[in-house]
Amino acid sequence: MSQALDEIKIGGLGASRRRVEDSRFIRGKGNYTDDIVLPGMLHMEILRSPVAHARIKSIDASKAWELPGVRLVLTGEMMATRNLAWMPTLSYDTQAVLATDKVRFQGQEVACVIADDPYIAKDACELIVVDYEQLPVIVNPVQAVAESAPIIRDDKENQAGNVIYDWEVGDKEGTDRAFAQADMVSKLRLHYPRSHPSPIECCGSIADFNRATSKLTVYMTSQAPHIIRAAVALVAELPEHMIRIISPDIGGGFGNKVPVYPGYVCSILASILLERPVKWIEDKSGNLISTGFARDVYLDGELALRSDGKILAVRMHTDADHGAFFSDAQPSKFKIGLLHSTFGCYDVPVGHLTARGMYTNKAPGGVAYRCSFRVTEAMFFQERMMHAAANDLGMDQAEFRRMNFVADDQFPFRTPFGFLLDSGQYRKCLDVGLEAVGYQDFLRQKEEAKANGRLLGIGISTMSEPLGAGNSREYDILGIKMFDSAELRVHMTGKALLRTGAKSQGQGHETTWAQIVAHELGIPAEDVTVEEGDTDTAPFGMGTYAARSTPVAGAAIAMVSRKVRAKARKLAAHHLEVSEEDVEWELGRFYVRSAPDRGVTIQECAMAAYSNMPDGMEPGLENNAYYDPPNLTWPFACYIVTVEVDPETGVWDVLNMVAVDDCGVRINPMIVEGQIMGGLTEAYAMANMQFITFDAEGNCVGSNYMDYLLPTSWETPGFELHGEVMTPCPHHPIGAKGVGECAAVGGPAAFVNAVMDAVKDTGVRNIDMPLLPDRVWEALTYRHDVSGAPPVRSDDD
Ligand code: CDP
């Protein structure tokens, strides 16, 4: 007789459980960094450079010191006396904390004021006089490698030019051979523009150094608190156990809150010097101008094609603009992140990719904005190249993709750049998408519309992206291996406390992590408290970015639950007076195989762990697990968009958008859908409206929400989501794959491809994002490609 619990009722795997964190968020009861007020707390403001490249001749802070309420003014010179003017970055580079010799981008941190309130601190910043001697400015990779280019990082010994790395992967000779045999070569040149994650909450920190205990506590908006603790230990030369990083609620991160920012270091030093808590909360323009830019990569891509549509080889060269400091996080081994995950879902026999990174006079760039280390660029380039190639061949967009897909029986499949795809049903996903969008009907409508002077277009984007770095063999940041962790403590009443090394920024971990415990142990999800983000209590973890939480921390939660269940089984056998081998498990309960009515619940086992354990058994019911994934997980997505372009104005409207996501087992289908909708909204914003660039003098243009638009529900089109294709991940303990970033990664190409399809008859091959009406109008009117690359100075023309 089975007494198994109904998994959905206890909020286990597959339950669309309402988000537990929302009860505090929607009532305004969240606890964000700026909500924290400590006794005696002071406030810090940062003075930023107004120019992009200049020598600092002098800094006069005397007037700022004189302003009543000012407690401290920090300059680069003062930082240098403590060996803190520069700090190491997460990519083996160095970054100025406060500028000493030069400023190298507009918005760079030049000085800090710490005062009784933030307004005094801001006023005092305006009293600091900096004498700048302006230098020539570099705003794109072409300028960066020009012979006459000034060396931006002349602070670094042996830095001969502005190239940071020159990296290659793949088989050059094999690729050359395949190209020589091709019937046709399809070429495309494009730029994935800079974009900014722009979370609603900006970055910030409160440093609280306690002289009596020598302990430093820092509350901060970090997606990776343990990495920050390691960085602080190295930079401030404090012992690790004397540093406590607490990431409280975070109002969106999207990669913006992974790097170490100068503001953190300055607030820490100020707190140590003043022995008072020091709060730094970045303002919106500070956030938009100086932190965590993403993308800014140029592509020259080529596909070698057989006339029947088979792809024979891929060749790509990319130039990535990293700004003045190479400060984003990525696995040490892969200089250009996982850009070489491109062309994974297609059976391409051979490929060669070369990638250069450049210094320019821009804020540090290259963070993985809702993206696994450049996967967004990888998939965008792939899908734009697929679109162009299908047109060059005169083939149907869908058919071209289908015939080149990795087939269901080819897994595990090695990609041309060395990744191992785990599983998938790509053709099925495409079919579901085509059916949902009414593909053939739309193609007919499009032809009819054309006859009436209307421009309709359809764009497809299909991709399988790698989520869940590492395994530890290949993935590390600064030598720290990329694994993750979970600690589970079951109290005697059967309620539980789960702690992980991940850190939610809105993804709903408090809800979904409890569901994994419910699934593994039968403890109702509502009986499991989830805690993350405090380095004094959470087990060591690499944090949350690159949609790695479910693939890595999620797996650790399943594994620790299984360890706890193994001990509970021993307790059950003792209680039931049978041997362990005679005990069976069903959700939430052990029973005697030969007498299923005789059983004990997991809650009874928990009580026994504290009150009736067998002789020799350690009391308590808790454990921990460190999970080192054997591989990345490879979700698949098919996004299809239909648009209408107004030929008079270049304005385009989305008619329909269909999303088919196969992310393996869905822990919480409602949350997964929320993740996809959010990602598609960001994709739409990047493709359509987010304009942030730099002029020839290095001024950041668009660093305000009038130009860099955040779409509201008013602007955002409706999305039709499909989750009916589900291919479990073969190596993840519960078969789940990551999903958090799929739509933001795969979505942009679908929108762009749709507009490019609508304007196809002009012969235009590319319009760079954002596809603002004036760019589309220019393409339609002048029938040429439209580049989004920043302009160079006229004397460079
Ligand atoms: O690392 P991050 O949390 O940003 O991304 P993720 O691991 O893809 O998870 C995003 C959210 O979706 C989390 O709350 C996950 O637990 C949930 N999710 C899910 O319910 N099922 C999946 N197969 C993947 C994610």
Side-chain angles (χ1 to χ4, degrees):
M1 189 179 72
S2 172
Q3 294 184 14
L5 296 166
D6 180 338
E7 177 150 4
I8 298 298
K9 281 197 183 140
I10 64 162
L13 223 52
S16 281
R17 186 176 178 231
R18 289 167 93 171
R19 288 166 36 112
V20 293
E21 40 278 86
D22 284 354
S23 81
R24 66 177 187 278
F25 292 157
I26 59 176
R27 286 183 296 134
K29 301 284 184 199
N31 184 37
Y32 299 92
T33 299
D34 201 18
D35 292 323
I36 296 166
V37 177
L38 299 179
M41 191 169 76
L42 299 170
H43 299 264
M44 187 180 98
E45 279 292 329
I46 296 176
L47 177 71
R48 299 182 180 281
S49 168
V51 293
H53 199 195
R55 196 178 310 286
I56 296 178
K57 290 167 74 181
S58 64
I59 300 179
D60 179 1
S62 52
K63 291 258 174 334
W65 275 105
E66 285 165 14
L67 194 71
V70 169
R71 304 286 172 157
L72 181 66
V73 182
L74 289 174
T75 59
E77 204 180 315
M78 289 172 66
M79 302 295 282
T81 62
R82 290 166 177 83
N83 207 18
L84 285 175
W86 293 82
M87 62 181 183
T89 71
L90 298 178
S91 290
Y92 292 101
D93 195 3
T94 49
Q95 177 173 356
V97 178
L98 293 178
T100 45
D101 53 340
K102 287 180 177 177
V103 287
R104 291 175 170 84
F105 68 90
Q106 186 186 52
Q108 186 176 337
E109 298 79 359
V110 174
C112 284
V113 176
I114 294 88
D116 290 345
D117 71 43
Y119 310 102
I120 298 172
K122 215 173 184 74
D123 287 348
C125 279
E126 288 175 14
L127 297 175
I128 299 173
V129 182
V130 187
D131 190 3
Y132 295 107
E133 177 194 325
Q134 296 220 28
L135 298 167
V137 172
I138 289 176
V139 290
N140 68 35
V142 177
Q143 281 177 300
V145 292
E147 235 166 60
S148 57
I151 297 175
I152 296 172
R153 295 300 305 279
D154 56 353
D155 57 286
K156 292 176 79 174
E157 268 177 45
N158 308 324
Q159 181 70 37
N162 292 315
V163 175
I164 309 171
Y165 57 82
D166 202 339
W167 195 75
E168 70 174 314
V169 61
D171 174 358
K172 182 176 181 328
E173 285 75 34
T175 304
D176 290 347
R177 273 198 302 278
F179 268 83
Q181 287 160 10
D183 295 328
M184 178 191 279
V185 173
S186 173
K187 298 186 181 196
L188 195 65
R189 158 172 285 207
L190 44 92
H191 176 220
Y192 199 130
R194 268 198 172 213
S195 58
H196 198 279
S198 54
I200 298 294
E201 181 202 28
C202 298
C203 298
S205 57
I206 306 171
D208 182 15
F209 180 68
N210 184 329
R211 176 71 62 198
T213 59
S214 295
K215 182 132 185 172
L216 172 70
T217 303
V218 190
Y219 303 84
M220 67 194 309
T221 56
S222 173
Q223 295 174 232
H226 282 97
I227 299 187
I228 296 285
R229 185 179 66 179
V232 172
L234 293 172
V235 175
E237 292 180 3
L238 288 171
E240 224 172 337
H241 67 295
M242 286 303 187
I243 306 167
R244 180 180 188 185
I245 307 292
I246 302 175
S247 282
D249 286 330
I250 296 185
F254 308 112
N256 187 210
K257 295 169 179 173
V258 177
V260 183
Y261 293 117
Y264 302 157
V265 180
C266 293
S267 65
I268 290 169
L269 178 65
S271 177
I272 292 171
L273 293 175
L274 296 167
E275 298 185 20
R276 302 257 301 261
V278 174
K279 180 189 265 189
W280 166 61
I281 299 295
E282 190 181 53
D283 59 21
K284 279 282 172 202
S285 45
N287 179 259
L288 261 178
I289 202 171
S290 69
T291 63
F293 277 96
R295 333 292 189 223
D296 213 347
V297 183
Y298 296 77
L299 167 84
D300 277 300
E302 295 179 277
L303 285 178
L305 302 162
R306 216 165 55 196
S307 53
D308 65 356
K310 169 78 185 142
I311 303 171
L312 301 177
V314 54
R315 189 191 278 144
M316 292 165 81
H317 174 76
T318 60
D319 280 331
D321 179 337
H322 283 272
F325 305 106
F326 184 19
S327 70
D328 51 308
Q330 55 216 320
S332 311
K333 194 172 160 187
F334 306 116
K335 293 293 174 213
I336 186 71
L338 304 188
L339 199 130
H340 56 307
S341 61
T342 191
F343 284 90
C345 66
Y346 302 110
D347 182 358
V348 180
V350 66
H352 185 235
L353 185 150
T354 50
R356 286 187 304 184
M358 318 282 190
Y359 289 123
T360 61
N361 291 118
K362 290 152 114 176
V367 305
Y369 166 18
R370 207 166 183 175
C371 155
S372 290
F373 316 112
R374 303 283 193 189
V375 168
T376 310
E377 291 93 314
M379 299 310 156
F380 182 75
F381 293 158
Q382 166 193 304
E383 286 309 296
R384 291 287 298 113
M385 286 169 68
M386 289 298 288
H387 182 92
N391 284 345
D392 289 344
L393 286 158
M395 268 185 85
D396 175 80
Q397 290 288 340
E399 203 36 51
F400 177 55
R401 286 173 169 79
R402 187 200 313 279
M403 74 166 285
N404 282 293
F405 275 152
V406 175
D408 298 3
D409 59 3
Q410 284 180 279
F411 295 101
F413 180 84
R414 187 70 67 183
T415 78
F417 299 118
F419 289 95
L420 194 65
L421 299 181
D422 59 6
S423 61
Q425 304 176 67
Y426 302 164
R427 290 176 191 174
K428 192 168 169 189
C429 287
L430 178 65
D431 287 343
V432 170
L434 294 175
E435 168 83 26
V437 84
Y439 188 60
Q440 293 303 337
D441 262 3
F442 186 82
L443 294 184
R444 270 191 295 276
Q445 279 174 39
K446 195 179 120 178
E447 287 311 306
E448 283 164 24
K450 193 156 63 172
N452 298 321
R454 290 171 59 208
L455 299 177
L456 301 191
I458 186 160
I460 302 176
S461 172
T462 48
M463 52 121 218
S464 181
E465 66 159 328
L467 296 183
N471 56 76
S472 69
R473 292 183 312 282
E474 290 190 295
Y475 295 88
D476 69 86
I477 291 182
L478 293 181
I480 309 168
K481 303 289 186 186
M482 298 188 78
F483 51 81
D484 237 293
S485 57
E487 255 176 36
L488 180 62
R489 184 177 304 163
V490 184
H491 307 305
M492 68 175 76
T493 54
K495 317 289 181 201
L497 171 65
L498 176 78
R499 290 174 169 149
T500 85
K503 174 61 202 163
S504 192
Q505 313 118 48
Q507 297 93 329
H509 292 175
E510 288 169 52
T511 308
T512 49
W513 291 168
Q515 293 185 244
I516 300 176
V517 177
H519 169 71
E520 293 291 338
L521 287 176
I523 296 176
E526 64 187 28
D527 289 348
V528 183
T529 300
V530 176
E531 284 183 6
E532 295 179 333
D534 181 342
T535 57
D536 263 13
T537 55
F540 184 92
M542 291 298 272
T544 290
Y545 40 87
R548 59 188 300 281
S549 305
T550 301
V552 194
I557 295 163
M559 300 314 276
V560 75
S561 302
R562 288 174 194 182
K563 285 185 182 178
V564 164
R565 195 169 75 207
K567 180 166 184 189
R569 176 184 292 275
K570 293 187 195 307
L571 287 157
H574 173 67
H575 190 83
L576 295 166
E577 296 176 335
V578 292
S579 75
E580 238 188 281
E581 292 69 46
D582 294 330
V583 171
E584 291 285 341
W585 168 254
E586 60 185 0
L587 191 63
R589 177 178 180 265
F590 294 100
Y591 62 90
V592 180
R593 185 176 304 126
S594 56
D597 283 350
R598 287 188 57 221
V600 282
T601 64
I602 188 75
Q603 289 79 5
E604 288 166 325
C605 292
M607 182 58 81
Y610 296 86
S611 60
N612 181 24
M613 49 290 179
D615 284 348
M617 181 188 273
E618 221 180 304
L621 191 56
E622 61 184 78
N623 219 316
N624 61 19
Y626 283 80
Y627 187 79
D628 184 0
N631 188 3
L632 300 149
T633 69
W634 291 85
F636 182 79
C638 166
Y639 303 124
I640 308 180
V641 177
T642 58
V643 297
E644 175 154 12
V645 176
D646 181 342
E648 303 293 323
T649 62
V651 169
W652 52 280
D653 291 313
V654 173
L655 305 174
N656 195 3
M657 163 133 213
V658 168
V660 185
D661 278 272
D662 177 3
C663 60
V665 172
R666 295 183 176 203
I667 302 162
N668 183 322
M670 181 194 70
I671 286 187
V672 167
E673 293 205 342
Q675 292 286 309
I676 295 166
M677 286 201 184
L680 291 177
T681 306
E682 288 178 316
Y684 175 65
M686 284 181 253
N688 191 18
M689 57 178 69
Q690 292 187 329
F691 181 73
I692 194 161
T693 187
F694 295 78
D695 68 13
E697 305 305 327
N699 296 306
C700 184
V701 181
S703 59
N704 63 76
Y705 288 109
M706 300 291 285
D707 294 312
Y708 198 74
L709 301 178
L710 294 189
T712 66
S713 59
W714 180 257
E715 294 89 10
T716 307
F719 307 124
E720 182 184 320
L721 307 188
H722 289 263
E724 52 263 56
V725 186
M726 195 278 284
T727 318
C729 174
H731 59 78
H732 188 282
I734 57 167
K737 303 181 180 185
V739 77
E741 59 191 40
C742 291
V745 169
F751 292 106
V752 176
N753 284 345
V755 176
M756 295 313 301
D757 186 48
V759 306
K760 185 175 156 192
D761 288 349
T762 59
V764 170
R765 291 179 75 73
N766 183 51
I767 307 172
D768 278 336
M769 291 192 292
L771 271 63
L772 301 169
D774 59 322
R775 290 188 181 182
V776 179
W777 180 86
E778 183 182 333
L780 280 169
T781 308
Y782 298 108
R783 296 178 170 250
H784 61 209
D785 287 10
V786 181
S787 161
V792 295
R793 291 185 313 278
S794 53
D795 53 335
D796 287 351
D797 283 345

